[in-house]
Amino acid sequence: MAAPYVLFFEQVDRSSLSQVGGKGANLGELIKAGFPVPGGFCITTHAYKDFLATSQEMESFFTELKSTDPQELTQLRQVGERIRTHLHQMDVPLPIRQEIVEALNKQGSENAYAVRSSATAEDLPNASFAGQQDTYLNIKGQDELLVHVKKCWASLFTDRAIAYRAKNGFDHHQVYLSIVVQQMISPEVSGILFTADPINGNRMVVSIDAGFGLGEALVSGMVSADLYKVKNNQIFDKKISQKKLAIYSLPDGGTVTRELPSSAQDQQALTDEQIISLASLGKKIEAHYQVPQDIEFCVSGGEFFIVQSRPITTLYPLPQLSFHPLRVLLSFGHVQMMPDAMMPLGLSVLRTMFPAQLFVEAGSRIYIDITDFMLSKIVRTVFPKLLTVADEAMSRALAAVVRRPGFFNGNQKSAVTGTAAKTAAFIVKKAWHHLRTGDPRLAKSAIENYMEQTLEQTRQAISGVQGAERLRVVQQQLDCALNNILHNIIPFVVPGIIAGKVLEKVLIRWLGDARELASLNKALPGNVTSEMGLQLGDLADTLRDLPEVQEYLQRAKDQSFYTGFSQVPGGEVFRQEFERFIAKYGMRCPGEIDLTKPRWREKPTLLIAAIFSHMRSVKSGEHRQRFSEGQKEADAAAVRILTKLKSHPVRLKLASRLIAVFRYMGGLREHHKYYIIMVLDECKAAIMAEAKLLEQAGKLPSAEDAYFLSLEELIKLAESKNSLVSAEVLNQRKTEFERNGNLKPPRVMTSEGEIIIVSPARGDIAEGTLLGSPVSAGIAEGIARVILKPENALLNEGEILVAPQTDPGWTPLFQSAVAIVTEVGGLMTHGAVVAREYGIPAVAGVDEATVRIRDGSFIRVDGDQGLVEILKE
């Protein structure tokens, strides 16, 4: 039996997507579920396909579309226009015409209809396509209907529709169009209902936009809608707009725009009773679909009609937590300067290393559930302030949410007890001891000796076993890593931080300002990340005199990276130095807290851009000279401070101790991260060795597919004799990871899905100036170089690095930049620490800096006030 060209709403549901597209499938689903939907029918995708099949030119058009860059708007517009013109000129085949006319007569030829496009890639959970195809209202009669059917088919090739498909990775040839023909309602009121707040994501809030007449007046932006917000069956926010115009249906077809009487312009479109009733209806539709919905409604004769419902695709995914009691979640990725999506293995490893009850997953990222800790009054007061050193925007948002009435009802108990309290007390006691007594110059060797001994124990433990047992040992080593850090590394890190804070306060009190602190911060001895940057500069200096090696590196491949050096003059010299660098720092990379990210030892070509950037922007030996000058500046600053305090013996003694601790222990604040990355690297090597064996045994399609399994799943896979991972599971997880990778993760959100954003106070800041956190003193001007991934970066002399975030994997670029601007970060994040040591002005936490600052713009970075000024586009 031939596929039907027409299906009535009652004949379709969500399983009919391939025949009637997202819009048609949803309408059928709603009718079958008993919701009030105006009747109608769908002209199926089979009609569209058979209509196109009568054209001899469409295949060449599809080929042209596939090769057209969606960024080339002029070319895209020209191709789309030619396709639309061609489709308008084609005749609708007789069998298709006959079925459409029969359906119209059955539904009622005397009625008026809304004719809407419904694409097979439309109204999906991960891509809405809303507004990409055209809608025609109040269409009457078979001739008009057939004309507008062709218009709908042609609207699949509007410029916006073509660009949207290309951007979202949909094959133009594989997206088909159905047409929804729905009986028109002539409403008094129309609008859009969101069953979750579309702005902040709160799943408990229903947001309603409403206006008089047809909804096209709202959709087109002709009038501003009333806005009503409902939570727990109560209206908590209401904004009544002035509605001067409305669109109405004409008796003979078509629509007309009319000016409303002045008495109606400020009238509330829906009554309070209607608002509550409509919100309840929306939540019932959401419950049916099990996901938040974007619903088009209208009111006629006092009755509600639903004319469309689609998933809200812009919401950030929720973790698996109950809405009650309310939980507050912080983005671990933002704290660690790595807010990118992570694969399941990377997420699993972090949840193994850190307390599992605190770490929840959302949108392929880790969030920290800090609610129970924030129930303590002292933690609520102190923690948001401490958080400013990591990310000021996060601090503002957290402070705002815990100040809300009802956040703490007095009945809940704080989790700051037991093990956590004992650990905190131990760290404070040890840190206080190191702050007051002992030689701070010995701290570096003490901490590094411990790290090396522990790492050797980890290596021996892992190397002594095979199979599932080896993966269990990896799990054990990851599980104890945090405890090792807290008890044996952090007590050496904290004194340097405290000394810096105390120094700032006493210098202001005793000398009137703390300007000398910026000089004291330069060239701190022992900072492993700064030392890495210096050694990379040494590599660049070696390369300057080896032109053949330079040429080789520009075409080098990871697989043959080291062997290729033997083929070029000077290659062996550079190879030996490079291997020494990799032996010490090869476990590092951008986004290094994610175990699945390729390490420099695995992909050495990742470092090439940074080496060449250094050669282009820094003279030979200049990086070492700068560091040496920084040491001299710090020593001179210390002398100036102590000289001014000579007449105050007690102050002199205290300042002398604080300076020594700050200088010799302040540089250790990167060591705990360095230790974690070394442990991760040892564990990754073991995991991937086992993954390779699983591949050879036919249990995994490839070793890299292990990234899409949790550590526990890998252990079970290694234990079993016959199990293997299905391609369906892997493909599903890969698709989810790719989809989540395109999302912008919030810094702070609640278990209700609400994203908390609190803008900084602008004060007297000039319009157009971007505001962030001052994290490294100084002012610099230069060309902005917007870089999203460090492996693709090339900086020239005098350029300013503008990046989404920076972690130690970005450090190789710091020597090349005259200033740094990041979207994420705070005073104590890795990039800020290294920038201060290098004496580079830096501003962190500049919202959407990589978008608002165009590549090549001339900008001024004020690291004293946290300002970025665009001087010339």
Side-chain angles (χ1 to χ4, degrees):
M1 182 178 174
Y5 290 136
V6 171
L7 289 170
F8 286 87
F9 291 168
E10 292 81 3
Q11 296 175 285
V12 301
D13 55 27
R14 68 179 81 185
S15 66
S16 310
L17 179 70
S18 63
Q19 292 178 291
V20 298
K23 199 177 272 99
N26 282 339
L27 288 170
E29 185 75 23
L30 288 167
I31 280 185
K32 285 188 175 181
F35 292 106
V37 175
F41 56 89
C42 300
I43 301 168
T44 66
T45 55
H46 304 297
Y48 165 78
K49 293 175 190 175
D50 286 359
F51 171 66
L52 288 196
T54 64
S55 165
Q56 297 180 347
E57 298 179 42
M58 279 308 297
E59 282 304 320
S60 62
F61 279 134
F62 280 125
T63 302
E64 191 172 355
L65 275 179
K66 190 173 183 179
S67 62
T68 301
D69 185 345
Q71 304 300 323
E72 295 291 336
L73 299 181
T74 301
Q75 186 180 356
L76 181 148
R77 192 177 299 115
Q78 291 170 349
V79 179
E81 187 176 346
R82 283 191 284 118
I83 296 175
R84 294 192 299 273
T85 300
H86 174 65
L87 294 179
H88 285 310
Q89 292 170 347
M90 290 170 56
D91 292 326
V92 179
L94 183 60
I96 299 176
R97 293 170 61 93
Q98 288 175 334
E99 281 202 42
I100 293 172
V101 171
E102 286 174 14
L104 179 66
N105 290 333
K106 186 175 181 180
Q107 188 68 35
S109 58
E110 73 282 2
N111 297 325
Y113 293 88
V115 181
R116 293 184 171 93
S117 308
S118 178
T120 53
E122 183 174 56
D123 297 342
L124 305 177
N126 59 328
S128 78
F129 279 70
Q132 297 307 314
Q133 283 80 51
D134 290 340
T135 293
Y136 304 96
L137 300 178
N138 210 35
I139 304 303
K140 279 191 169 185
Q142 68 178 46
D143 292 338
E144 280 298 299
L145 176 59
L146 290 167
V147 167
H148 287 88
V149 164
K150 277 206 296 184
K151 286 184 177 181
C152 278
W153 281 332
S155 76
L156 190 61
F157 301 97
T158 61
D159 303 343
R160 64 182 183 273
I162 294 170
Y164 190 92
R165 289 196 297 273
K167 179 184 175 184
N168 287 275
F170 289 94
D171 185 342
H172 302 288
H173 206 293
Q174 299 300 318
V175 176
Y176 306 116
L177 197 75
S178 168
I179 296 171
V180 169
V181 182
Q182 186 175 35
Q183 192 169 325
M184 279 288 294
I185 299 292
S186 295
E188 297 96 46
V189 177
S190 299
I192 302 169
L193 177 155
F194 297 94
T195 64
D197 193 311
I199 304 302
N200 65 30
N202 194 320
R203 306 308 201 269
M204 300 294 288
V205 171
V206 173
S207 179
I208 301 171
D209 289 339
F212 296 113
L214 293 168
E216 292 306 298
L218 308 183
V219 175
S220 65
M222 185 183 297
V223 296
S224 297
D226 287 355
L227 172 64
Y228 320 119
K229 293 195 176 185
V230 180
K231 185 175 183 181
N232 298 327
N233 291 320
Q234 290 187 326
I235 302 170
F236 71 91
D237 191 19
K238 190 190 295 184
K239 293 183 175 65
I240 311 302
S241 298
Q242 187 178 45
K243 301 168 285 292
K244 293 185 177 182
L245 303 173
I247 299 176
Y248 293 101
S249 302
L250 290 170
D252 296 327
T255 61
V256 64
T257 301
R258 293 181 180 143
E259 186 171 343
L260 291 170
S262 57
S263 59
Q265 290 181 6
D266 295 316
Q267 183 181 330
Q268 186 172 315
L270 292 174
T271 66
D272 286 3
E273 185 181 357
Q274 285 178 314
I275 293 167
I276 296 295
S277 178
L278 181 59
S280 176
L281 177 60
K283 279 298 183 182
K284 288 176 184 175
I285 295 173
E286 178 187 84
H288 175 77
Y289 283 105
Q290 294 293 300
V291 291
Q293 294 289 297
D294 167 359
I295 300 167
E296 296 176 28
F297 70 89
C298 58
V299 185
S300 180
E303 290 186 55
F304 289 114
F305 292 91
I306 303 302
V307 295
Q308 186 50 247
S309 185
R310 62 175 69 88
I312 305 175
T313 60
T314 56
L315 299 175
Y316 193 81
L318 282 181
Q320 293 182 342
L321 291 173
S322 170
F323 287 174
H324 302 291
L326 189 72
R327 315 297 296 177
V328 181
L329 311 171
L330 301 186
S331 168
F332 180 74
H334 280 84
V335 175
Q336 288 296 323
M337 302 300 102
M338 212 295 287
D340 297 345
M342 298 173 66
M343 296 182 222
L345 182 60
L347 294 168
S348 168
V349 163
L350 286 178
R351 295 193 69 178
T352 303
M353 293 183 75
F354 294 91
Q357 68 274 21
L358 297 181
F359 274 29
V360 296
E361 295 178 28
S364 298
R365 277 102 173 164
I366 291 285
Y367 280 81
I368 312 169
D369 183 354
I370 61 163
T371 313
D372 293 339
F373 291 96
M374 299 307 290
L375 298 177
S376 161
K377 184 176 181 180
I378 188 169
V379 175
R380 283 202 306 278
T381 304
V382 173
F383 185 66
K385 295 177 182 176
L386 292 177
L387 200 56
T388 58
V389 302
D391 191 287
E392 201 168 305
M394 184 179 286
S395 170
R396 289 194 302 271
L398 180 61
V401 75
V402 300
R403 283 198 301 264
R404 289 180 177 178
F407 173 76
F408 176 59
N409 60 25
N411 298 322
Q412 301 134 299
K413 290 185 178 180
S414 169
V416 188
T417 57
T419 305
K422 289 178 182 177
T423 301
F426 173 83
I427 292 171
V428 169
K429 182 179 178 181
K430 290 279 286 185
W432 179 246
H433 172 75
H434 292 318
L435 182 66
R436 295 179 64 243
T437 63
D439 188 347
R441 291 173 295 182
L442 302 179
K444 180 175 182 290
S445 58
I447 200 172
E448 290 183 350
N449 286 339
Y450 170 78
M451 288 165 57
E452 186 51 47
Q453 289 170 13
T454 311
L455 277 165
E456 185 55 36
Q457 292 169 7
T458 297
R459 292 186 193 105
Q460 290 178 7
I462 291 174
S463 64
V465 286
Q466 294 291 323
E469 186 58 30
R470 175 154 61 165
L471 294 176
R472 281 198 201 89
V473 171
V474 164
Q475 202 172 39
Q476 292 164 6
Q477 296 301 314
L478 291 169
D479 187 52
C480 65
L482 179 62
N483 190 60
N484 291 342
I485 289 168
L486 292 176
H487 285 84
N488 299 285
I489 298 177
I490 294 298
F492 287 98
V493 174
V494 172
I497 298 171
I498 294 175
K501 288 293 180 186
V502 176
L503 255 179
E504 183 179 17
K505 291 185 180 300
V506 298
L507 289 177
I508 292 171
R509 186 182 303 167
W510 296 341
L511 304 180
D513 63 63
R515 285 179 294 182
E516 295 286 17
L517 199 58
S519 296
L520 283 177
N521 228 321
K522 291 182 179 179
L524 292 176
N527 187 318
V528 288
T529 307
S530 299
E531 290 171 354
M532 179 179 72
L534 292 171
Q535 291 192 30
L536 186 120
D538 295 341
L539 269 178
D541 282 353
T542 299
L543 188 61
R544 290 177 199 274
D545 299 325
L546 303 172
E548 292 89 351
V549 179
Q550 293 178 33
E551 185 182 341
Y552 165 69
L553 287 175
Q554 290 173 339
R555 54 182 167 81
K557 305 294 181 187
D558 289 313
Q559 297 82 351
S560 57
F561 187 80
Y562 293 103
T563 56
F565 286 118
S566 61
Q567 309 298 317
V568 293
E572 284 301 312
V573 172
F574 185 80
R575 182 184 63 80
Q576 289 175 15
E577 278 203 41
F578 192 89
E579 286 181 338
R580 278 196 293 271
F581 181 89
I582 291 296
K584 191 167 184 179
Y585 303 112
M587 80 295 291
R588 311 212 81 159
C589 67
E592 59 193 4
I593 62 163
D594 180 356
L595 177 134
T596 67
K597 294 282 187 183
R599 313 283 132 175
W600 289 335
R601 66 170 175 80
E602 297 171 309
K603 292 191 71 175
T605 56
L606 291 174
L607 282 164
I608 291 174
I611 293 172
F612 276 99
S613 287
H614 187 100
M615 289 170 57
R616 289 154 64 109
S617 57
V618 181
K619 296 181 177 65
S620 179
E622 187 179 353
H623 61 295
R624 290 286 180 183
Q625 184 181 346
R626 284 182 191 169
F627 196 79
S628 178
E629 289 171 355
Q631 289 175 319
K632 291 175 183 176
E633 285 182 44
D635 292 341
V639 169
R640 286 193 297 271
I641 292 169
L642 297 178
T643 300
K644 291 175 182 178
L645 296 174
K646 270 188 177 179
S647 58
H648 300 276
V650 175
R651 293 180 180 181
L652 178 66
K653 184 178 180 180
L654 176 59
S656 180
R657 177 67 188 178
L658 289 172
I659 289 171
V661 172
F662 179 66
R663 288 291 298 164
Y664 289 104
M665 300 184 82
L668 305 181
R669 54 194 168 200
E670 296 285 305
H671 273 67
H672 63 287
K673 176 79 174 285
Y674 189 52
Y675 174 76
I676 287 176
I677 302 310
M678 288 194 286
V679 170
L680 281 179
D681 193 53
E682 295 293 337
C683 292
K684 180 177 185 179
I687 291 170
M688 295 315 294
E690 287 299 328
K692 195 67 181 173
L693 294 175
L694 291 171
E695 178 190 1
Q696 292 169 1
K699 294 184 176 184
L700 272 178
S702 73
E704 285 70 28
D705 285 327
Y707 292 156
F708 292 94
L709 301 176
S710 69
L711 188 52
E712 194 61 45
E713 287 173 328
L714 280 173
I715 291 172
K716 289 180 180 178
L717 191 64
E719 280 177 333
S720 67
K721 291 185 178 179
N722 301 316
S723 295
L724 52 87
V725 181
S726 74
E728 183 181 354
V729 168
L730 288 174
N731 289 336
Q732 181 182 352
R733 292 186 180 183
K734 289 175 182 179
T735 300
E736 182 180 15
F737 170 72
E738 186 177 352
R739 182 169 67 242
N740 289 337
N742 294 322
L743 300 176
K744 182 180 180 180
R747 286 172 162 88
V748 179
M749 68 175 176
T750 70
S751 53
E752 292 180 349
E754 181 184 1
I755 296 170
I756 313 296
I757 300 174
V758 179
S759 300
R762 294 203 64 85
D764 297 325
I765 305 303
E767 191 67 30
T769 299
L770 308 183
L771 192 60
S773 301
V775 296
S776 184
I779 298 173
E781 294 181 0
I783 299 295
R785 190 59 62 216
V786 179
I787 294 171
L788 304 180
K789 294 183 178 180
E791 60 266 30
N792 301 328
L794 275 178
L795 287 173
N796 295 304
E797 188 174 358
E799 291 185 337
I800 294 171
L801 171 63
V802 181
Q805 71 276 330
T806 61
D807 66 1
W810 287 73
T811 305
L813 288 172
F814 281 32
Q815 294 276 9
S816 305
V818 296
I820 296 164
V821 178
T822 65
E823 295 178 337
V824 177
L827 197 64
M828 292 306 297
T829 49
H830 307 283
V833 169
V834 176
R836 288 196 296 273
E837 291 193 25
Y838 286 174
I840 303 170
V843 176
V846 179
D847 193 39
E848 302 214 318
T850 59
V851 176
R852 297 160 74 187
I853 301 172
R854 294 183 182 177
D855 189 65
S857 298
F858 192 74
I859 66 174
R860 176 186 293 123
V861 177
D862 186 339
D864 299 318
Q865 300 184 73
L867 306 177
V868 180
E869 187 178 353
I870 301 172
L871 303 176
K872 186 178 180 182
E873 290 284 0

